[in-house]
């Protein structure tokens, strides 16, 4: 792309406003603020390796301030980027037990943001990619500062969702329901630049499965049979490769670019699975669907699962449509949970 055609996220959002009635004004503001928060988080994530030299979490830094854990820091940054915008009624974060109404001192709006500020944060110490995930809904309650019901909406009702990947470069990928677009942070400009317009799962997809296989002994029969098929140990399967980073955003991003399926099943130790429906599964499901893929809990499309708890967990199968369908076929034989 020539320098004169650099398309920043701000310009792209404004262009999109004209096409998408929902994204007029409010949604653009919210996404711009999330992009700003992502730049601040990215800067700190890149410095994380220096934490041991400059002081670990709980210590004081050179300015005599207490060093925060990065996930707590990321949570504050996103919250503060959004609290005063006048666009939100409330927020919910994986880091907080209850939903967070916008404080009385700030104006409110018609939207709700749910987020996982720094997913995979146990990977920070070993320099592995981590991410932020976000989901945006319209407020449905009458309350000016939101209510629990505003946060407990199905994925199908999201108006926007996306993630930020802090990897070899920092990328922000989002959808407002008209395709999926990816932006790469240019550190020299301090801007997210459109690098991946209209992202789609490739067809045919690469045959890649992504799962923590160390939990094999805890899996259901259907889950074991599916992986056996992919390894060529059952039926006429085989031909698959395996990739598992253990950092959801990074595993999902690879799956989106290359194709395949990411799986975090229920098992005997985690009967509901590990991942969170509202902060992880539903937003990525919206992105997946908009990119031509899909997500399932093994029986029901993630987009249609009705949440009853803010921190509800769910099994997750997400990626290329044909492999998520295949997972549902295999799991159909399992006894109902
Ligand atoms: P976290 O929300 O505590 O960071 O955990 C979520 C992470 C995901 O990024 C990843 O997909 C999963 O946990 C890996 O779990 P496991 O180590 O059990 O394979
Ligand atoms: Mg998480």
């Amino acid at each position: 792309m020539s320098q004169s055609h650099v398309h920043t996220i701000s310009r792209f959002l404004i262009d999109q406003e004209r096409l998408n009635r929902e994204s007029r004004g409010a949604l653009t503001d919210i996404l711009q603020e999330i992009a700003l928060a992502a730049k601040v988080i990215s800067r700190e994530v890149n410095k994380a390796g220096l934490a041991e030299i400059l002081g670990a979490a709980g210590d004081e830094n050179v300015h005599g301030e207490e060093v925060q854990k990065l996930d707590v820091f990321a949570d504050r940054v996103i919250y503060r980027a959004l609290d005063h915008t006048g666009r939100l009624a409330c927020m919910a974060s994986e880091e907080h037990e209850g939903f967070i109404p916008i404080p009385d001192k700030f104006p409110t709006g018609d939207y709700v943001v749910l987020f996982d500020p720094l997913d995979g944060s146990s990977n920070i110490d070993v320099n592995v990619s981590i991410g932020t995930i976000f989901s945006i809904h319209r407020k449905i309650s009458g309350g000016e500062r939101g209510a629990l019901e505003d946060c407990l909406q199905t994925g199908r009702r999201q108006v926007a969702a996306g993630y930020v990947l802090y990897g070899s470069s920092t990328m922000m990928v989002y959808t407002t329901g008209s395709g999926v677009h990816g932006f790469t942070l240019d550190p020299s400009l301090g801007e997210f630049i459109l690098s991946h317009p209209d992202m789609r799962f490739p067809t045919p997809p690469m045959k890649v499965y992504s799962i923590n296989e160390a939990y094999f002994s805890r899996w259901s029969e259907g889950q074991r049979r599916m992986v056996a098929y992919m390894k060529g140990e059952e039926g006429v399967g085989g031909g698959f490769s395996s990739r598992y980073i253990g950092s959801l955003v990074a595993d999902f991003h690879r799956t989106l670019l290359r194709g395949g399926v990411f799986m975090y099943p229920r098992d005997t130790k985690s009967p509901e699975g590990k991942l969170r429906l509202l902060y992880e599964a539903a937003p990525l499901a919206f992105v997946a669907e908009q990119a031509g893929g899909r997500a399932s809990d093994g029986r029901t499309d993630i987009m249609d699962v009705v949440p009853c708890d803010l921190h509800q967990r769910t099994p997750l199968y997400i990626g290329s449509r044909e492999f998520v369908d295949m997972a549902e076929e295999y799991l159909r034989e399992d006894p109902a949970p």
Side-chain angles (χ1 to χ4, degrees):
M1 197 182 291
S2 85
Q3 293 288 350
S4 58
H5 284 87
V6 167
H7 209 142
T8 64
I9 197 166
S10 308
R11 181 176 154 194
F12 188 83
L13 282 164
I14 290 163
D15 288 351
Q16 290 287 103
E17 264 187 30
R18 291 191 206 109
L19 305 172
N20 182 350
R21 280 210 283 133
E22 180 69 51
S23 85
R24 287 225 167 104
L27 214 44
T28 299
D29 286 355
I30 296 167
L31 289 165
Q32 300 242 44
E33 292 299 331
I34 292 174
L36 175 62
K39 288 191 238 177
V40 176
I41 297 167
S42 176
R43 191 184 61 194
E44 292 305 303
V45 167
N46 287 333
K47 288 197 298 202
L50 294 170
E52 280 193 17
I53 302 162
L54 302 177
D59 289 353
E60 289 190 346
N61 67 16
V62 286
H63 306 292
E65 300 151 345
E66 193 183 320
V67 178
Q68 288 177 319
K69 283 180 69 183
L70 260 182
D71 40 10
V72 178
F73 173 82
D75 181 67
R76 297 299 302 160
V77 169
I78 298 172
Y79 175 76
R80 288 203 176 130
L82 294 169
D83 64 356
H84 59 279
T85 56
R87 300 304 196 177
L88 302 185
C90 63
M91 291 183 238
S93 159
E94 202 190 280
E95 293 283 322
H96 296 260
E97 207 175 311
F99 77 99
I100 321 160
I102 295 298
D104 289 342
K105 62 180 173 183
F106 292 127
T108 57
D110 293 332
Y111 291 86
V112 176
V113 174
L114 298 96
F115 57 95
D116 182 351
L118 211 54
D119 183 75
S121 49
S122 62
N123 288 309
I124 295 170
D125 293 349
V126 289
N127 223 340
V128 165
S129 301
I130 48 183
T132 295
I133 310 171
F134 60 90
S135 164
I136 307 177
H137 284 273
R138 246 182 186 284
K139 175 174 77 110
I140 49 172
S141 74
E144 193 198 337
R145 287 168 206 280
L148 187 57
E149 66 176 299
D150 295 317
C151 302
L152 298 182
Q153 301 188 59
T154 60
R156 189 72 60 203
R157 298 183 66 119
Q158 291 172 103
V159 292
Y163 60 85
V164 182
L165 173 63
Y166 310 100
S168 48
S169 8
T170 295
M171 273 195 77
M172 179 160 160
V173 174
Y174 79 87
T175 181
T176 54
S178 353
V180 176
H181 308 289
F183 301 81
T184 302
L185 182 63
D186 180 333
S188 64
L189 295 175
E191 290 276 9
F192 279 105
I193 307 296
L194 180 64
S195 52
H196 295 65
D198 204 11
M199 299 170 82
R200 308 280 303 167
F201 285 94
T203 42
M206 269 177 72
K207 292 167 88 175
V208 178
Y209 71 89
S210 186
I211 190 168
N212 191 335
E213 216 161 338
Y215 304 154
F216 179 87
S217 63
R218 306 185 209 151
W219 292 348
S220 69
E221 184 58 24
Q223 183 64 52
R224 291 181 191 189
R225 285 187 46 228
M226 178 177 180
V227 172
Y229 170 86
M230 290 169 150
K231 289 171 145 180
E233 292 168 358
E234 180 178 300
V236 286
F240 278 77
S241 251
S242 154
R243 294 282 184 277
Y244 190 74
I245 299 168
S247 190
L248 177 62
V249 175
D251 277 315
F252 176 77
H253 187 69
R254 183 202 56 249
T255 306
L256 175 56
L257 292 182
R258 299 268 164 83
V261 61
F262 170 88
M263 302 180 269
Y264 205 110
R266 64 174 86 247
D267 64 26
T268 51
K269 188 176 167 214
S270 311
E272 307 302 326
K274 176 185 184 187
L275 300 173
R276 315 281 177 158
L277 175 62
L278 291 172
Y279 309 109
E280 294 162 337
L284 295 184
F286 190 20
V287 173
E289 193 176 282
Q290 283 291 317
R294 63 176 294 243
S296 169
D297 69 0
R299 286 171 188 265
T300 307
D301 198 297
I302 290 287
M303 296 284 275
D304 297 317
V305 176
V306 181
C308 45
D309 183 277
L310 268 184
H311 295 278
Q312 185 168 331
R313 295 177 194 270
T314 178
L316 179 63
Y317 298 82
I318 189 165
S320 302
R321 193 163 270 275
E322 65 193 83
F323 300 138
V324 177
D325 292 349
M326 184 198 288
E328 287 180 338
E329 282 289 310
Y330 273 97
L331 297 169
R332 192 161 295 147
E333 307 289 302
D334 286 339

